[in-house]
């Protein structure tokens, strides 16, 4: 899927509630993250830990860029799992705090 199209879809599907400016700010953070920091076309073969993955927005986008992604958060990760499944992207999620995390591997990048 086209990366920009995926960004637009993922943002449009989130429920931001009464906070009208939040989608705009979210879009800005995504733009900054993927145009200034993670700006290569592909990160195939590299791994990333998404700490605070919440609903899986960044985890899905990292996976689309080619990363092997593990998402970690203390909250319910069912929405993140649903989002990854919807786009047929294999992301592993761990529901635990970073202080007690015993993760199965090391990572090339950590995003928090």
């Amino acid at each position: 899927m086209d990366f920009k199209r995926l960004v637009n879809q993922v943002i449009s599907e989130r429920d931001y509630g009464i906070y009208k400016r939040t989608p705009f700010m979210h879009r800005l953070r995504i733009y900054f993250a993927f145009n200034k920091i993670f700006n290569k076309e592909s990160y195939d073969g590299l791994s990333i830990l998404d700490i605070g993955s919440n609903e899986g927005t960044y985890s899905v986008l990292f996976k689309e860029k080619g990363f092997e992604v593990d998402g970690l958060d203390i909250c319910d990760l069912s929405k993140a799992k649903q989002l990854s499944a919807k786009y047929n992207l294999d992301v592993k999620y761990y529901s635990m705090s970073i202080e007690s995390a015993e993760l199965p591997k090391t990572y090339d990048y950590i995003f928090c």
Side-chain angles (χ1 to χ4, degrees), residues 23-37:
F24 173 75
M25 295 305 296
H26 203 184
R27 195 177 300 280
L28 280 178
R29 286 193 307 267
I30 290 170
Y31 172 83
F32 182 78
F34 290 99
N35 287 292
K36 302 296 181 186
I37 301 170

Side-chain angles (χ1 to χ4, degrees), residues 43-95:
Y43 288 86
D44 290 343
L46 296 175
S47 62
I48 191 165
L49 175 63
D50 180 10
I51 299 174
S53 54
N54 195 345
E55 292 187 17
T57 302
Y58 286 91
S59 296
V60 165
L61 297 176
F62 284 128
K63 186 65 181 179
E64 184 67 20
K65 282 284 191 174
F67 280 106
E68 289 300 317
V69 182
D70 288 352
L72 177 94
D73 208 322
I74 59 172
C75 69
D76 175 18
L77 292 168
S78 59
K79 285 185 179 181
K81 292 174 184 176
Q82 289 171 354
L83 185 67
S84 297
K86 177 178 181 173
Y87 294 104
N88 200 27
L89 297 171
D90 181 31
V91 176
K92 293 176 184 65
Y93 291 102
Y94 300 91
S95 185

